[in-house]
Every structure is written in C-alpha cells, then in structure tokens.
Amino acid sequence: GNVALDVARILLRPTEELATTDIASYAWTALEGSSIRKVYLVGRRGPVQAACTAKELREILGIKNLYVHIREDDLIKSPTDEEEMKNSRIQRRVYELLSKAAASASSQPMLGQRELHFVFFRKPDSFLESNERSGHVSGVHFEKTALKGGGPGKQYAVGTGEFEDLDCGMVLKSIGYKSVPVNGLPFDNHKGIVPNIRGRVLKNISGDSSQVENGLYVCGWLKRGPTGIIATNLYCAEETVSSLSLIS
C-alpha cells in the first residue's frame, strides 16, 4: 500500500533531497547516519492487487540512482487478474508502472546504488533471530502464497506450504488496519465494519435494508473498511450525509 511505499521512499531517498523537505530534524539526522542501502517491499498478493496509487508508485520509482528489481514470475497475470485490471484504471496503471520498471532495469545494481526489491506472493511466517545480536532480527521466514477467490477484486492469498528465508536487519510492518467493535453497535468481524446501507447502520450483518437503526450513521473506515485516500473519505462522508438528509 501507499504507507509501505512511503516508508521505503524515505529510507531510500538521498538525504540531501530530504533536507529540502519538512521532515523532522531528528528523523533526518537518523537517516543521515543510516547504513540502509537495500529495501524489500513484500506483499501477500500480486502486483495487480497492490493497494497503492500510481502517483505514490511513480514517486518512489523516480528516485535518482535507484536500482529496482521485480521478479518476472511475479508479473505473470491470470485471466482473473486481467479482468480485475479491465475493471480498475488504478490497478491497470500500477501494474503498467511495475512492468515498465522491471523491463527497464539493469540485470545487476551498479556500485553504490541503493536497491528496491518488490517481492510478491509471500506472507511472513516467523522472524529469525540473530545469532550475533540477541534480540535482533536476522531475517524473515516467508511462506509462498497463491491467489484464490470468487472473481475480480475478491482474490485473497493462501499459503502453499512452500517456504523461503529473506535475510534482513530490520523489519517494518504495514499490513493494513482493522476497526474494532463499538459497544452497542453490530459489527462484521470479517470485514471489520459496522454493517450499513449508504451510511445508515443496520441492526445486524444480514444486509437487509429494512432493518436499520433509527438515528445511527457511520462513515470512514468503520463504514467501508481501510481503503481509499482523503478524497475517498470525502465522498464517503457526503454519501452518509445524503442518507441523513433524506431521512430528515
């Protein structure tokens, strides 16, 4: 997602460029002394399902003197992937940017280049502890995944039983957000939302639009799940206000 891209971008962008931004001074000082030169972005699903925007992806791919690596096998699309891209301009554009980056990349990084590796179809199984520094990570034990589901936009990652290790000295997680139940309100634990119709809270998770709670409304991630950007939240709130106005 965009948060993962932002983290990688800050770690990989030259500090002389960061100095011209509004980054906090203590963060810039830490980055100036950082020895990080290689970042792996690991996703449980494939590039077609990458939950980021083209703008954010272009920004990190545009970092000067950055070596980008994407496994060719990870870019193979299934018929369901093709259908998903056909229905989503954003997903299609993200996939095109990743494919272009993979095609234009050199086979090996040059001396001194910072590196960004996109790794798809992997989910973390466990962290590996360093033998040299107690309490520090030395790698991640990943399980390979495959996509299953009922169609475009509904594919999810399942483990295949195959594993591999990735050496690293630091792990940062960015695996999404899930709302928690609110006392007195029904809650769909699977979706992480309060069941609703256009913002009107339902009495249960059946989806029956006739079973609404009078005077109760919801918006944002509690309404639709952790998706979208600021503009998405704007439209989401407008929809809820429209439902409230119709009742009023």
Side-chain angles (χ1 to χ4, degrees):
N2 283 337
V3 173
L5 288 180
D6 283 341
V7 171
R9 177 172 54 83
I10 292 298
L11 292 174
L12 292 169
R13 191 174 175 185
T15 50
E16 58 268 24
E17 294 183 10
L18 289 174
T20 63
T21 70
D22 60 356
I23 189 171
S25 58
Y26 66 86
W28 184 89
T29 301
L31 290 166
E32 176 71 4
S34 168
S35 60
I36 295 174
R37 294 295 180 271
K38 183 186 295 187
V39 172
Y40 289 88
L41 273 173
V42 184
R44 289 167 291 180
R45 295 185 294 172
V48 174
Q49 293 77 37
C52 64
T53 59
K55 178 180 180 296
E56 295 281 350
L57 184 57
R58 276 196 301 268
E59 189 165 353
I60 192 169
L61 293 176
I63 293 177
K64 295 178 181 178
N65 196 31
L66 179 67
Y67 170 77
V68 178
H69 178 261
I70 304 172
R71 304 179 188 186
E72 289 186 13
D73 290 349
D74 285 353
L75 291 169
I76 297 174
K77 304 186 297 296
S78 68
T80 306
D81 288 337
E82 295 281 7
E83 190 66 24
E84 191 167 330
M85 290 172 58
K86 188 182 300 183
N87 296 334
S88 172
R89 183 183 65 83
I90 294 176
Q91 297 306 106
R92 184 170 62 253
R93 186 61 183 137
V94 166
Y95 180 85
E96 289 171 352
L97 287 169
L98 290 171
S99 297
K100 183 178 179 181
S104 60
S106 57
S107 58
Q108 296 291 332
M110 295 185 295
L111 184 64
Q113 266 191 314
R114 297 192 180 194
E115 304 176 28
L116 173 62
H117 297 257
F118 288 88
V119 182
F120 296 98
F121 302 107
R122 302 290 188 276
K123 66 174 183 176
D125 178 77
S126 59
F127 298 116
L128 307 176
E129 185 175 3
S130 172
N131 292 324
E132 300 174 355
R133 296 192 301 165
S134 177
H136 288 75
V137 69
S138 66
V140 183
H141 188 55
F142 285 104
E143 182 177 10
K144 296 181 181 180
T145 65
L147 293 181
K148 287 190 176 182
K154 298 181 180 180
Q155 297 186 94
Y156 56 93
V158 295
T160 64
E162 296 181 68
F163 296 86
E164 68 178 16
D165 294 341
L166 178 64
D167 295 335
C168 63
M170 180 172 68
V171 178
L172 301 171
K173 63 179 183 178
S174 176
I175 55 174
Y177 170 89
K178 188 174 183 179
S179 297
V180 295
V182 177
N183 289 335
L185 292 182
F187 191 75
D188 187 327
N189 284 290
H190 178 69
K191 296 180 179 179
I193 63 171
V194 170
N196 68 92
I197 298 292
R198 298 178 63 83
R200 297 194 68 192
V201 174
L202 300 177
K203 293 182 178 179
N204 51 57
I205 65 173
S206 66
D208 184 354
S209 59
S210 65
Q211 299 294 312
V212 296
E213 292 279 6
N214 292 327
L216 286 179
Y217 301 85
V218 67
C219 66
W221 285 2
L222 197 59
K223 171 186 174 183
R224 68 179 192 279
T227 61
I229 54 178
I230 293 175
T232 314
N233 287 320
L234 174 64
Y235 294 131
C236 174
E238 288 179 344
E239 181 183 65
T240 297
V241 171
S242 295
S243 293
L244 192 154
S245 299
L246 288 173
I247 300 302
S248 300

